[in-house]
Amino acid sequence: GQSLEQPSEVTAVEGAIVQINCTYQTSGFYGLSWYQQHDGGAPTFLSYNALDGLEETGRFSSFLSRSDSYGYLLLQELQMKDSASYFCAVRDPLGFKTIFGAGTRLFVKA
Amino acid sequence: DSGVTQTPKHLITATGQRVTLRCSPRSGDLSVYWYQQSLDQGLQFLIQYYNGEERAKGNILERFSAQQFPDLHSELNLSSLELGDSALYFCASSQRGQETQYFGPGTRLLVL
C-alpha cells in the first residue's frame, strides 16, 4: 500500500526558514503535491513535483528525490499567516486514489 | 475562492438519518473528488469521479455513495448516520491530466 509520513508539528520564528519533510512508501506515483490548510478552511494547493529537483514559487519551494522516496516543503521569510497545517499528497498510478499525509502543523512565533 | 462550491455549509442531523451533500466543480473540470476530515485528522480520500464515471475508490463505507451527473456536479449520500460520521466533507475538482486539486469550502456535518 501507499503511505506518507510527516512530522506532526513544527515551530519556527517569524522571518526564519522552515523545512517540512515527507517520506513516502509507494509502489509508484505521478509526483508529490503539497497543500496548505488554515484552521477551519479548505486545503489550497501550494506546489507539485513531478520530477526530481527543486520547484520554487515565491517564498515556498518544494523538493523531490524519487531515489530517496523523500520530499520537502521549504518556507522562507516566515510570516504569522503561514501558521497552518501542511499536507503532502500522492496519487496512486494504479488505482488513482489520492493519498494525503497526516499533516504537519506549523506554528510561527513572533 | 477556488471556484468549487459546496452546499450546505453546515448540517446537523440525528443518528440513523440520511443526508446529501452537493458539490459543483470549477468550470471545465471533469474530475470530482470527495474527502472526509475528522477533527484534527488528515484528509481521507473517499471517491473520485471523472466525467460521470467512478474513477477511484478509497475507504468509503458501504453506507456512503456518490454520483456525478451529466452537468458534472456531484452528490455524496450518507445514510444510517453514526456519531463517528461527524466531520468536514470536502469536494475537490481538477482539470484533465492535472494533479492540482481545487477544494471547495467544505460541509461540516454534525451527527447528534
Side-chain angles (χ1 to χ4, degrees):
Chain A
Q2 316 261 25
S3 67
L4 297 96
E5 289 191 14
Q6 311 177 230
S8 58
E9 283 187 12
V10 173
T11 300
V13 177
E14 199 174 14
I17 299 173
V18 72
Q19 179 174 312
I20 299 174
N21 299 322
C22 175
T23 57
Y24 58 87
Q25 291 186 336
T26 66
S27 54
F29 76 158
Y30 291 117
L32 189 69
S33 299
W34 289 92
Y35 289 81
Q36 178 193 59
Q37 185 180 29
H38 286 97
D39 283 347
T44 56
F45 172 79
L46 290 177
S47 186
Y48 173 66
N49 292 72
L51 303 174
D52 284 4
L54 192 68
E55 291 283 341
E56 297 181 72
T57 310
R59 295 188 297 115
F60 294 178
S61 303
S62 58
F63 173 82
L64 176 64
S65 169
R66 288 175 177 264
S67 59
D68 295 323
S69 297
Y70 164 75
Y72 66 72
L73 179 69
L74 192 73
L75 297 84
Q76 303 182 70
E77 300 173 17
L78 280 174
Q79 302 175 10
M80 299 298 287
K81 67 177 182 180
D82 297 329
S83 294
S85 292
Y86 293 84
F87 297 89
C88 57
V90 299
R91 197 155 62 87
D92 175 1
L94 296 178
F96 301 107
K97 292 189 297 185
T98 304
I99 300 159
F100 278 77
T104 299
R105 194 165 181 86
L106 171 64
F107 297 95
V108 180
K109 294 186 173 181
Chain B
D1 184 0
S2 67
V4 178
T5 60
Q6 289 187 248
T7 56
K9 285 189 176 180
H10 303 277
L11 200 49
I12 302 175
T13 188
T15 54
Q17 296 297 304
R18 172 190 170 95
V19 297
T20 297
L21 312 183
R22 183 187 169 104
C23 168
S24 292
R26 294 188 325 153
S27 177
D29 286 359
L30 299 180
S31 283
V32 169
Y33 310 77
W34 285 98
Y35 294 90
Q36 179 192 58
Q37 187 174 39
S38 301
L39 191 63
D40 292 332
Q41 297 294 310
L43 290 150
Q44 299 298 317
F45 170 75
L46 296 178
I47 198 163
Q48 178 199 353
Y49 280 83
Y50 178 81
N51 202 21
E53 300 290 327
E54 183 183 303
R55 183 84 186 272
K57 210 165 187 176
N59 297 325
I60 186 168
L61 299 172
E62 285 192 12
R63 300 184 286 110
F64 296 1
S65 65
Q67 58 184 126
Q68 186 179 27
F69 295 87
D71 67 352
L72 300 179
H73 91 271
S74 178
E75 292 181 356
L76 179 67
N77 299 295
L78 315 176
S79 61
S80 303
L81 284 167
E82 302 175 358
L83 296 177
D85 298 327
S86 295
L88 258 174
Y89 291 83
F90 287 106
C91 163
S93 72
S94 70
Q95 291 182 348
R96 179 181 180 179
Q98 297 295 315
E99 291 301 309
T100 305
Q101 295 185 28
Y102 298 89
F103 283 76
T107 293
R108 188 175 294 277
L109 173 67
L110 181 59
V111 182
L112 299 175

